[in-house]
Amino acid sequence: MKTIITNKFLILLLGLLVLGSCDEFLEEDLRDQITPDAFFTNDKEAELAVNGVYRLYHDNNLYRQRGLDNYYTSGADIQAANRDVNGSIHNYLIQEGTADGNGTWIQLYRVVNNTTEFIFNIENNENLSQEVIDHRLGELLFLRALAYFHLTNLWGDVPFYTEPLPVLERSVLGRHPKAEIRSAMKADLARAFDLLPGSYSGNDLGRATKWAAATLKAKYHLFDREWAEAKAECDIVIDQSPHRLLDNYADVFDQSDPSAQYNDEHIFVVDFEADYGGPLNTTRTDDYNPRIRDEPFNRNGDTLINGQTYQRVDYFQNQVLRPRNEDMTGYGWSVPLPEFALRENWQEGDLRYDATIVTEYLGWKLSFPYFRKNWNLDQENSLRGNHPENFIVFRLADVYLMAAEAENEMNGPGNAYAYVNKVRERAFEPDQPWSGMSQEQFREAMYEERKFELSAEGHRRMDLIRWGILLERVKSVQHRAWNNPGANIQPYHVLLPIPQQQLELNPNLLESDPTNNGYR
C-alpha cells in the first residue's frame, strides 16, 4: 500500500490520534486533542498525521464509493444507473435534506480541519527536521486545496479558514466568497509546488508531487477562466514533469495487477488496496461492474452449446466467466447512456471506443453497455466490496486538453492544435489531427474531445457547468425510461444547496444568501 499505513495496528492508532468520530460540521476540535508538544515530537509523527489526511479521502462520501461521483458524473450526458436508483441526484430532485451532499460536506471539512490543524502543528516546529517540515507542509497545502476545490465546485461560497479556530468560532462561520477562497488556494498551491518533491518510489508512490500541485492549480485557473495562468501551469507539467502519455489508451486504466497500478500518465491518484478493510479498499468498482442478475442478454433463455441445451446465464457464469476467475458481482450503478454507448456516435477510427465501452463480452451480448475502463471482473484480486483499484484524479491527457483549451481562449487555435493533437495521436489510427478551425469551432470541438477522452473519470458535469451548457446537454441527451432529468433541471442546479443539517447547526450559513443557492 502507498500513502496509507498498511499495518493494521498503525491504522487503528492513526484513527485514534487523527480522525475522531464526529459526524457534525466543524464540531471536532483537534486543538483540544493534539498540540505540537503533545504530538509532533518527531518526524514520524508528522508523517502519520499526513497519512491520516490522505486516508480521509478514502471515505465513501469522497473517492471510495459514489460520494463525489454523485455530483461529478451523475446528472450529465454520459452515464447513469442501469435501473431506477440514484434518481434524486441524476433526475435533479435535490432539495435541502434530499441528496444535498451532507456527507460529502462533512468529510471535506474534516480534511480542512485536519490539514489546517496540522499545518499549524508542523510549521516552525523545532522537533522536526526542515526537510520533513517542507515536505509535509507541501502535502497538507495540496490536500487542503483539493478539499476547497470540491467545496467551491459543489456549493460556491462556503465557510473558509486557514488558521486554527476554536470549535465555537468555526461552528458559526458564514459563507465566504468563492473567488477569495480560490485565490488563497492558488497561492497555497504555488507554495506547495516549491515544497513538494517531483517524484516518489516504493511505498511512497501515490503521495502528492509538485506536478499534482501544478495540475490542481491549473484546474483552479481554468475554472476561473484565467487562461494565461492555466496554460502556464499546464506547460510546467507537460515540459518539466516525468509524466508522459502512454502509447495505448487502455493501458492507462489497466490495474489488473495490484502490484503495478501506477503508470507514467497518472499525476495524482487516491490509492486503494484490498484486504485491509474499509476505507482502505474501494467499492466504487462495484458501481461499474455488471450484476449477473442482469447479464447476459436474454439471461433466462436457453442456448445450445455442442448439442446440449443450457440456460444462458448458467452457462455464461459457470462455463465462460468462472474458468477465467471472473464473475459479474457488481451493482450496475454507473453505465453509459444509450447515445454514448453507440459506436456510430464516436468519430470513425477512434480507438478509445473499445477501451471505454463494452456491449458484448467474450462473444456474449450484454443487456447493458458498461465502462470497460472502470470495471474489473477478477475474482482473485478484485472481489465485490474489496477492490484495490486506484481512483485516477489527475492524468496527463487532461493537462494537454486544458492547455489546448486555454491557448484557444487566449489566442485562437493556431498554437492550441499541438496540445490536442498530441492526445488524438494516440486515439486514432490513422491519425486524425485537428486543423482549419475557427476559435468557436475549436471550443465546441473541445466539448466533445474531453467527453470521449475523460469519460467516467469525474470531470464531465463540472466541464458542462463551467462551459455554461449543462442544462442544454441534460435536456437534449437520451436517458433511459426510468430517468427524466431534463424535465426537472433548473438553472440553480449548477450548485447544491447548503445541506439542511448544516443550516440547522449554523443558521449563519444563510446570512449572505437567504435563497440557499436558489433552492428557497
Side-chain angles (χ1 to χ4, degrees), residues 108-276:
L108 288 170
Y109 272 107
R110 282 178 174 158
V111 175
V112 172
N113 293 344
N114 285 15
T115 51
T116 299
E117 193 67 40
F118 296 155
I119 288 169
F120 175 81
N121 278 267
I122 288 174
E123 201 160 22
N124 301 318
N125 187 331
E126 295 180 356
N127 295 317
L128 309 180
S129 67
Q130 191 60 48
E131 179 183 1
V132 165
I133 289 174
D134 291 346
H135 187 173
R136 302 310 171 203
L137 282 178
E139 289 180 282
L140 291 167
L141 290 167
F142 168 82
L143 293 168
R144 183 171 65 184
L146 184 59
Y148 275 124
F149 179 70
H150 293 313
L151 285 163
T152 53
N153 283 346
L154 296 178
W155 287 281
D157 299 348
V158 293
F160 177 63
Y161 60 96
T162 57
E163 298 290 338
L165 297 174
V167 63
L168 290 179
E169 239 180 278
R170 293 203 309 259
S171 67
V172 296
L173 287 175
R175 299 171 71 179
H176 200 84
K178 169 182 169 180
E180 293 182 24
I181 298 172
R182 288 178 173 266
S183 178
M185 290 303 98
K186 292 166 194 169
D188 276 359
L189 287 167
R191 186 183 177 201
F193 180 88
D194 292 336
L195 294 172
L196 286 167
S199 63
Y200 296 95
S201 61
N203 289 336
D204 286 329
L205 285 172
R207 292 186 178 276
T209 64
K210 60 174 64 264
W211 319 117
T215 301
L216 179 54
K217 190 167 183 281
K219 285 277 184 190
Y220 268 113
H221 288 304
L222 193 80
F223 280 33
D224 292 341
R225 306 178 69 82
E226 297 167 346
W227 308 120
E229 294 86 348
K231 170 72 163 36
E233 297 297 328
C234 291
D235 281 339
I236 288 171
V237 177
I238 292 168
D239 296 337
Q240 299 179 28
S241 83
H243 296 288
R244 67 177 183 88
L245 295 179
L246 300 192
D247 294 334
N248 182 6
Y249 181 78
D251 290 345
V252 177
F253 313 100
D254 183 5
Q255 300 189 52
S256 57
D257 181 356
S259 66
Q261 292 177 286
Y262 290 87
N263 61 61
D264 290 345
E265 191 162 329
H266 298 171
I267 296 173
F268 182 69
V269 307
V270 176
D271 186 326
F272 291 97
E273 183 163 317
D275 300 332
Y276 287 97

Side-chain angles (χ1 to χ4, degrees), residues 191-478:
R191 186 183 177 201
F193 180 88
D194 292 336
L195 294 172
L196 286 167
S199 63
Y200 296 95
S201 61
N203 289 336
D204 286 329
L205 285 172
R207 292 186 178 276
T209 64
K210 60 174 64 264
W211 319 117
T215 301
L216 179 54
K217 190 167 183 281
K219 285 277 184 190
Y220 268 113
H221 288 304
L222 193 80
F223 280 33
D224 292 341
R225 306 178 69 82
E226 297 167 346
W227 308 120
E229 294 86 348
K231 170 72 163 36
E233 297 297 328
C234 291
D235 281 339
I236 288 171
V237 177
I238 292 168
D239 296 337
Q240 299 179 28
S241 83
H243 296 288
R244 67 177 183 88
L245 295 179
L246 300 192
D247 294 334
N248 182 6
Y249 181 78
D251 290 345
V252 177
F253 313 100
D254 183 5
Q255 300 189 52
S256 57
D257 181 356
S259 66
Q261 292 177 286
Y262 290 87
N263 61 61
D264 290 345
E265 191 162 329
H266 298 171
I267 296 173
F268 182 69
V269 307
V270 176
D271 186 326
F272 291 97
E273 183 163 317
D275 300 332
Y276 287 97
L280 301 187
N281 57 28
T282 181
T283 62
R284 180 177 182 256
T285 307
D286 291 321
D287 283 353
Y288 290 91
N289 281 353
R291 302 189 302 172
I292 195 64
R293 67 185 296 181
D294 297 325
E295 302 300 344
F297 178 76
N298 191 24
R299 65 188 301 278
N300 294 320
D302 292 336
T303 184
L304 188 65
I305 306 290
N306 296 327
Q308 187 170 347
T309 300
Y310 301 88
Q311 188 179 41
R312 287 173 58 81
V313 64
D314 288 343
Y315 190 90
F316 180 65
Q317 185 175 32
N318 296 318
Q319 304 299 322
V320 177
L321 295 177
R322 286 181 177 168
R324 297 167 55 90
N325 287 324
E326 294 182 342
D327 207 347
M328 293 184 170
T329 61
Y331 307 147
W333 272 60
S334 197
V335 302
L337 291 177
E339 292 178 4
F340 190 73
L342 291 175
R343 183 184 291 273
E344 53 262 39
N345 290 332
W346 293 56
Q347 190 173 340
E348 186 176 352
D350 195 333
L351 303 176
R352 293 171 296 194
Y353 179 85
D354 287 331
T356 301
I357 304 294
V358 53
T359 59
E360 65 173 44
Y361 190 58
L362 303 176
W364 290 69
K365 182 181 177 181
L366 301 177
S367 299
F368 293 96
Y370 296 93
F371 286 102
R372 188 189 299 271
K373 65 196 286 189
N374 284 356
W375 84 355
N376 191 345
L377 308 183
D378 182 359
Q379 296 301 291
E380 182 177 354
N381 299 306
S382 188
L383 293 170
R384 176 172 175 154
N386 188 28
H387 298 279
E389 290 80 37
N390 294 341
F391 191 115
I392 304 168
V393 180
F394 301 135
R395 62 182 178 92
L396 189 61
D398 183 17
V399 177
Y400 272 100
L401 295 181
M402 288 195 293
E405 183 178 346
E407 174 63 26
N408 181 61
E409 294 300 333
M410 283 192 300
N411 302 308
N415 292 324
Y417 291 127
Y419 294 101
V420 69
N421 286 339
K422 183 71 173 177
V423 175
R424 289 176 61 83
E425 181 181 337
R426 173 177 68 186
F428 290 90
E429 181 61 45
D431 191 15
Q432 298 187 31
W434 286 1
S435 63
M437 297 179 178
S438 67
Q439 184 183 50
E440 180 62 24
Q441 288 171 331
F442 190 101
R443 180 184 298 126
E444 292 183 0
M446 187 60 67
Y447 298 166
E448 302 306 300
E449 190 63 26
R450 286 185 64 85
K451 177 171 74 172
F452 294 122
E453 175 67 29
L454 302 170
S455 66
E457 296 181 47
H459 301 282
R460 186 57 176 176
R461 187 167 175 275
M462 285 308 305
D463 277 347
L464 297 179
I465 288 171
R466 67 187 180 83
W467 291 327
I469 60 174
L470 176 68
L471 274 71
E472 165 197 323
R473 289 302 178 94
V474 169
K475 286 178 177 292
S476 62
V477 72
Q478 179 187 355

